[in-house]
Amino acid sequence: EAQVTQNPRYLITVTGKKLTVTCSQNMNHEYMSWYRQDPGLGLRQIYYSMNVEVTDKGDVPEGYKVSRKEKRNFPLILESPSPNQTSLYFCASSRHAGGMNEQYFGPGTRLTVT
Amino acid sequence: GDSVTQMEGPVTLSEEAFLTINCTYTATGYPSLFWYVQYPGEGLQLLLKATKADDKGSNKGFEATYRKETTSFHLEKGSVQVSDSAVYFCALAANNAGNMLTFGGGTRLMVKP
């Protein structure tokens, strides 16, 4: 089954404790990205990657890091999480970059930072 | 920068009622327009899209027409069902290599039997 998977689905952590949220897709997609969803704000892009070893900042990159060492994986790293990073995070992928390409979303990771 | 504005919810309708969720956008150039749907506890799924002016996207009884003159992409359905209860997001993507989606704030639809 074609899908985007994320782990963990739920995470509660404390300020300053480094964490990684994994994302994997099995569709051989070139393009992957991370969004955060906050009430009333819709989804905002954090980082994106157009292919292996190519990453770039989205709208809200501060406090986050990403890497794209393999085509299928695109982990999101919070080196020193803060309470304002409490949010619902979605990973997405599409076959290619380019505005008309449909993006496929993972099920989401709900992160709480206390 | 690009932006998307959609009506705030929640929108509460009875089964078989007519649905309209308004969406307007601001963008340079000619973006692609999308409606995504998020069912409770799930990620977003593409509902329909339109990539150029006057295109009509349709899926599962939902429709939206890309209106460049009014910069709008309103979502409509003639007869909603309880199973349509979800959050609906309007989004645009500039037709460049970045592929970033700009989302509206989302509209929650609740359909009562």
Side-chain angles (χ1 to χ4, degrees):
Chain A
E1 180 190 352
Q3 59 183 347
V4 179
T5 57
Q6 297 178 223
N7 281 292
R9 293 289 312 276
Y10 302 91
L11 180 59
I12 300 174
T13 190
V14 296
T15 299
K17 185 177 182 181
K18 180 180 179 179
L19 65 92
T20 300
V21 183
T22 65
C23 172
S24 183
Q25 51 91 6
N26 62 1
M27 296 170 279
N28 202 36
H29 284 172
E30 289 184 354
Y31 182 93
M32 298 184 74
S33 65
W34 277 102
Y35 294 86
R36 59 177 289 173
Q37 181 182 12
D38 301 290
L41 297 177
L43 280 76
R44 295 175 292 167
Q45 192 180 54
I46 302 170
Y47 269 94
Y48 66 92
S49 169
M50 290 202 281
N51 216 324
V52 176
E53 302 291 3
V54 181
T55 63
D56 210 343
K57 297 177 180 178
D59 263 355
V60 288
E62 293 78 21
Y64 304 94
K65 285 175 57 178
V66 292
S67 69
R68 187 88 182 277
K69 294 185 170 59
E70 307 164 282
K71 198 171 188 179
R72 63 183 295 129
N73 296 324
F74 190 46
L76 179 70
I77 303 155
L78 284 71
E79 295 269 4
S80 182
S82 62
N84 65 12
Q85 293 178 297
T86 293
S87 187
L88 180 58
Y89 291 86
F90 289 100
C91 181
S93 73
S94 63
R95 182 179 299 275
H96 302 296
M100 63 187 67
N101 286 277
E102 175 183 354
Q103 293 195 33
Y104 296 80
F105 284 80
T109 296
R110 185 167 293 282
L111 171 64
T112 302
V113 183
T114 61
Chain B
D2 297 347
S3 67
V4 175
T5 303
Q6 59 183 107
M7 58 191 293
E8 290 188 23
V11 174
T12 303
L13 296 173
S14 297
E15 208 164 23
E16 300 184 1
F18 184 86
L19 168 71
T20 300
I21 300 178
N22 290 337
C23 170
T24 57
Y25 68 90
T26 302
T28 53
Y30 303 94
S32 294
L33 301 175
F34 305 83
W35 277 100
Y36 279 83
V37 58
Q38 184 179 31
Y39 298 103
E42 298 183 11
L44 280 71
Q45 303 172 24
L46 179 65
L47 181 60
L48 53 84
K49 71 177 183 181
T51 57
K52 61 182 187 296
D54 300 323
D55 267 3
K56 177 185 283 188
S58 61
N59 186 26
K60 300 181 181 179
F62 291 89
E63 293 183 340
T65 301
Y66 190 141
R67 300 284 189 204
K68 188 174 184 303
E69 64 276 13
T70 55
T71 62
S72 65
F73 193 54
H74 305 321
L75 182 68
E76 297 182 334
K77 186 176 185 182
S79 177
V80 294
Q81 306 299 313
V82 173
S83 57
D84 293 326
S85 298
V87 181
Y88 293 82
F89 291 93
C90 185
L92 69 81
N95 285 318
N96 57 31
N99 205 25
M100 183 179 79
L101 284 167
T102 298
F103 285 88
T107 302
R108 181 176 300 278
L109 170 65
M110 297 191 296
V111 181
K112 298 185 174 180

